[in-house]
Amino acid sequence: LHSDDDDESESATRSRAVAAGSLAGAGDDAEPGRRRFGVAAKWSKHKPDVYVQPDGGGELVFAHRSALYEGLNLADRVSYTPSRYHGRVVAADVWPAASRPRKFFGVVVKWIAKGRVGLGWIQPDDGRATLGVHGKNVVDGPLCVGERVCYATSTFQGRRVCVAVAKAPAAAGPRPAAGERSRGTVVKLLPKGDAFIGFIRSDASKSDARHGDVFVHSSNV
């Protein structure tokens, strides 16, 4: 499926595309956020990274392994969200074409700037453990601590991570229904510039050790 000649051709193609300001996909495919369809056409030399052939033709779109679903095979029909990485259009949030990615909501609790990209962690609304996110999987620009986001999930090196991350209005997503609110005690506060972060120990944890401390950002107080 892949030869040294292919690597040279692939490298040359990528170089020309970067010089043009886009790795793949012209026109509508360059618009972030809208789902597109295509076929997993060939593995990158860094398998399992893959290239997707968009419906309607055009150049192949690169998809990093962190954006792929488990069990992807060549010739699979897929859907994906066009995103930008170092000025190139890439495929994020890649799913089987017949599936609809489930969206979750949460809050950014940490963000580390890494050149033009960055990486961080998101606290899901359901209180589960924080999830990592790489800047290349953020649809609409760098994130900031305290921002509310929606996202899908994928698996990278055996860990659940966030993909197709987009900023969400503060009121978006599921809200606690009557009777579902919890009580607890603030056990730690850490100043962060004009804001702060902290942890609340649920009253339930006093009788059940499985209930850990819950993260809170000042934007939610």
Side-chain angles (χ1 to χ4, degrees):
L1 294 175
H2 201 76
S3 67
D4 291 338
D5 289 338
D6 289 335
D7 282 343
E8 292 178 3
S9 175
E10 175 182 308
S11 176
T13 299
R14 287 170 65 110
S15 297
R16 289 195 298 270
V18 170
S22 171
L23 175 63
D28 287 343
D29 255 351
E31 181 181 344
R34 292 184 59 188
R35 298 293 291 178
R36 292 289 180 268
F37 293 88
V39 173
K42 74 172 186 175
W43 299 118
S44 162
K45 61 182 178 181
H46 301 296
K47 184 178 176 180
D49 299 348
V50 75
Y51 286 91
V52 176
Q53 176 64 64
D55 285 358
E59 294 188 31
L60 299 178
V61 181
F62 176 77
H64 187 266
R65 66 196 71 182
S66 66
L68 306 178
Y69 59 90
E70 294 186 72
L72 178 141
N73 294 301
L74 292 184
D76 280 1
R77 181 157 172 74
V78 299
S79 69
Y80 63 94
T81 300
S83 185
R84 287 196 175 274
Y85 179 60
H86 287 193
R88 307 176 304 185
V89 175
V90 298
D93 193 20
V94 179
W95 286 77
S99 299
R100 185 178 183 86
R102 183 181 175 190
K103 287 293 183 180
F104 302 90
F105 291 84
V107 176
V108 179
V109 296
K110 187 172 184 179
W111 187 259
I112 301 173
K114 293 281 188 180
R116 293 176 291 175
V117 190
L119 54 89
W121 287 264
I122 293 172
Q123 175 64 61
D125 280 356
D126 60 13
R128 296 184 183 182
T130 55
L131 301 174
V133 57
H134 192 279
K136 61 182 170 45
N137 287 318
V138 178
V139 174
D140 49 2
L143 301 176
C144 297
V145 171
E147 280 190 313
R148 185 160 173 76
V149 295
C150 65
Y151 60 93
T153 60
S154 184
T155 302
F156 178 57
Q157 295 183 347
R159 297 183 179 182
R160 189 166 167 249
V161 296
C162 299
V163 296
V165 180
K167 298 172 184 178
R175 312 302 297 175
E180 292 184 359
R181 295 188 66 81
S182 301
R183 294 180 180 274
T185 303
V186 178
V187 294
K188 191 171 186 179
L189 281 179
L190 300 171
K192 292 285 185 180
D194 295 332
F196 66 83
I197 61 174
F199 294 87
I200 296 173
R201 184 159 299 162
S202 169
D203 288 349
S205 65
K206 298 174 183 177
S207 58
D208 188 344
R210 292 176 299 175
H211 292 265
D213 295 343
V214 181
F215 176 89
V216 60
H217 187 272
S218 55
S219 63
N220 290 313
V221 176

